[in-house]
Amino acid sequence: DPDRTRQLIDELDIALIYVGQLERHEHPQALAKLEAMAANRELFVLYANERVTIYAVTGRLIRLADGRFAPAARGEN
């Protein structure tokens, strides 16, 4: 349920979501949900290859001057 996923992201203050082989095997239905959330710009792909996708929750990270990412302070984008 996408609404429950959004609720958990907020409750647990999640910034990153890792999807690897285990997640793909155990929760294949979640892939479409995460892709839809990315299409809605709620998440963005921070890293991807053929085995792993790491999503960042929009607004939870900031890009530093050197290109690295760091947690955003509450209310900071």
Side-chain angles (χ1 to χ4, degrees), residues 31-65:
L31 300 176
K33 174 177 53 178
L34 295 173
E35 289 170 2
M37 291 177 76
N40 289 336
R41 297 185 178 177
E42 296 172 81
L43 305 174
F44 66 93
V45 176
L46 190 62
Y47 175 83
N49 68 24
E50 59 279 345
R51 297 180 137 197
V52 171
T53 303
I54 300 174
Y55 292 96
V57 178
T58 301
R60 299 284 170 93
L61 299 177
I62 57 169
R63 181 170 253 163
L64 303 174

